[in-house]
Amino acid sequence: AQSVTQLGSHVSVSEGALVLLRCNYSSSVPPYLFWYVQYPNQGLQLLLKYTTGATLVKGINGFEAEFKKSETSFHLTKPSAHMSDAAEYFCAVDQRGNMLTFGGGTRLMVKP
Amino acid sequence: EAGVAQSPRYKIIEKRQSVAFWCNPISGHATLYWYQQILGQGPKLLIQFQNNGVVDDSQLPKDRFSAERLKGVDSTLKIQPAKLEDSAVYLCASSPPSDEQFFGPGTRLTVL
């Protein structure tokens, strides 16, 4: 069975600072990996995804993530946080059945 | 392009009552998903439809939950009778086969 662990349920950064949200997965086969963002009272929006090919994936709003097979990680980063980045972020895996398993989420807070 | 529509957005009921949620997916999307998102957790897949057939319902509590997608378009998720632990946001998503899932805004259920 696959699982997703997001280290840190809450992360707080200052505006302009680096954002790093951690995601580790366990899977018997290399999965497809996703990051979603959820703003209050809204559904989830896809930020980026890794399927095959280049391990550094760029997404919307300046976010990127790197797939590291040896570390079973898919951490999400953004060089400079903006107030509008405050939201909840979910990492998810899919073992080719288009059925997502989500992590517990990380709430990102951005201080002015 | 219209997104995934869900109604109602909010519902408050007492335990042992029944409730139904409705989802209209993006036009042309063959696959439809229902997720349960308990406060502070990531979404958990309840059921996946491909057209009007069930692909996976292994995590659906079938003693009280039911879902249908009779014409392969919109879908209804029902809880009968509701328990306190059913309080959650119920998310509907749709996708073309083996492609990105698009999420609706969700229905927030409170069971008193």
Side-chain angles (χ1 to χ4, degrees):
Chain A
Q2 56 194 351
S3 67
V4 181
T5 302
Q6 291 184 238
L7 202 60
S9 59
H10 292 79
V11 170
S12 181
V13 301
S14 296
E15 192 172 20
L18 171 72
V19 175
L20 170 61
L21 305 182
R22 299 178 187 273
C23 173
N24 288 87
Y25 67 90
S26 65
S27 175
S28 56
V29 298
Y32 293 168
L33 296 156
F34 303 79
W35 275 100
Y36 283 85
V37 61
Q38 187 176 34
Y39 297 101
N41 298 316
Q42 295 186 28
L44 280 73
Q45 179 184 8
L46 183 67
L47 275 179
L48 50 80
K49 63 181 179 182
Y50 169 78
T51 53
T52 58
T55 56
L56 182 62
V57 180
K58 294 187 184 299
I60 62 171
N61 302 340
F63 285 92
E64 61 182 37
E66 186 171 12
F67 169 56
K68 292 187 176 180
K69 184 178 177 181
S70 61
E71 299 177 7
T72 60
S73 69
F74 191 57
H75 302 331
L76 181 70
T77 60
K78 182 174 180 177
S80 177
H82 192 272
M83 296 297 292
S84 61
D85 294 326
E88 186 130 26
Y89 293 80
F90 293 94
C91 181
V93 301
D94 169 23
Q95 283 194 251
R96 309 288 197 283
N98 214 32
M99 286 183 281
L100 298 175
T101 299
F102 286 89
T106 297
R107 183 168 299 280
L108 176 66
M109 294 166 285
V110 182
K111 299 174 292 187
Chain B
E1 178 183 272
V4 177
Q6 291 188 248
S7 67
R9 291 295 312 275
Y10 304 90
K11 189 72 176 180
I12 300 174
I13 62 173
E14 295 189 350
K15 60 183 179 183
R16 291 188 290 273
Q17 286 187 321
S18 301
V19 65
F21 313 127
W22 175 81
C23 172
N24 191 31
I26 292 173
S27 178
H29 282 190
T31 312
L32 185 147
Y33 314 78
W34 283 102
Y35 290 86
Q36 180 192 57
Q37 185 178 15
I38 293 172
L39 186 65
Q41 299 181 20
K44 181 183 81 172
L45 179 69
L46 293 176
I47 189 167
Q48 178 184 354
F49 291 95
Q50 180 79 13
N51 296 307
N52 61 351
V54 175
V55 175
D56 186 279
D57 63 357
S58 57
Q59 299 196 86
L60 187 74
K62 298 181 187 62
D63 58 334
R64 298 183 299 107
F65 286 65
S66 63
E68 59 184 15
R69 194 184 184 200
L70 293 175
K71 296 182 179 179
V73 181
D74 57 351
S75 176
T76 303
L77 176 70
K78 296 179 182 177
I79 308 175
Q80 179 179 13
K83 293 184 175 182
L84 296 177
E85 58 261 36
D86 298 333
S87 294
V89 175
Y90 291 86
L91 295 166
C92 180
S94 70
S95 74
S98 301
D99 205 343
E100 175 189 344
Q101 295 183 31
F102 293 83
F103 285 80
T107 295
R108 183 177 297 276
L109 173 67
T110 302
V111 182
L112 303 176

